Amino acid sequence: MDEVRVNGLRGVELAVFDLKQSSEFYRNVWGLEEANVDGDTAYLRGTGREHHILAIHQRPRAGLVAMSFSARDKRMVDALHAKVCGLGTKILSPPKALPGVAGGGYGFSLETPEGQIIAISADVEQHAEAILDRSRPQKLSHIVLNVEDIEKQNRFFCDVLGFRLSDATERMDFVRCSSDHHSVALARGHGAGLNHMAYEVPNFDGLMRGAGRMTQNGFNIEWGVGRHGPGDNIFTYFVEPNGFVTEYTTEVEQIDEATHMPGDGAYWAKKMPFPDRWGMATMTKRLREAMAGDIVNANNLRCEDIISRKMAS
Ligand SMILES: [Fe+2]
């Protein structure tokens, strides 16, 4: 059998305080489209054919619920499960048929060493047609996690799930599971949590149209427009209504497995001391705080205040 590994990023699941408000934001402003609704969960698709790239669950506290990756087929799901069990990783649910409301398929879930949930699946329903609108996200491009122990998380993604290191800077490891330069990046120094998620739009014009739609709806660009070093992708960053950082990105470097050599921290520090190849984009303080999880945490405290006041009245 081929190497046992995941082969793509499907999507992300978030807990949000207000399902209606978040769903409206992600559909009408961010540019996703409803694929399904099931009770307190909404499944949202991009313009690509993946069943959904974002699931939002109404919960008392906002946060990252899970990340979802694809495997080539059922046999690969079972092989990954066997490998993961052999390495002592915590399994949350064994391989089984998945609910039709979420696109069905066959998969299992497990936990990273720092407690994030990962779902791995195959044979998930695809939409018959892509949507032709370059100003809207076609897929989830990458998730960046804040980590406490970068070596441990790197070993988990590479040794357990079959990711490969694409590049490393002094602060971050970029790992891939497809030809995209990175589907996951690990950022030191903030404690375990979600740093940001990035959605790919088809081209630069689409990225600017999306950014225009956001600014017209009152969401300032918090970093960008710029072009990253590792990954070479063009970016604009925003803070969405729950306090999560969300990015439009395009022109992500495609890796040639035969020739790619990862750059290390010293290489990138010398090649690109400024974190934007174009030398213009500066991150706002608000974005830095949001990437650290501070805005989601502050919102959670306010939300809990509201709940406790309601319970007391
Ligand atoms: Fe990013």
Side-chain angles (χ1 to χ4, degrees), residues 90-113:
K90 185 172 174 187
I91 301 290
L92 299 172
S93 91
K96 63 183 179 190
L98 301 172
V101 71
Y106 176 80
F108 74 104
S109 60
L110 67 157
E111 205 173 273
T112 74

Side-chain angles (χ1 to χ4, degrees), residues 181-195:
H181 177 273
H182 57 285
S183 294
V184 171
L186 307 168
R188 299 173 198 268
H190 288 307
L194 177 63
N195 181 291

Side-chain angles (χ1 to χ4, degrees), residues 26-38:
Y26 277 107
R27 285 182 291 114
N28 301 334
V29 184
W30 193 244
L32 306 184
E33 201 157 296
E34 194 169 278
N36 226 335
V37 177
D38 181 29

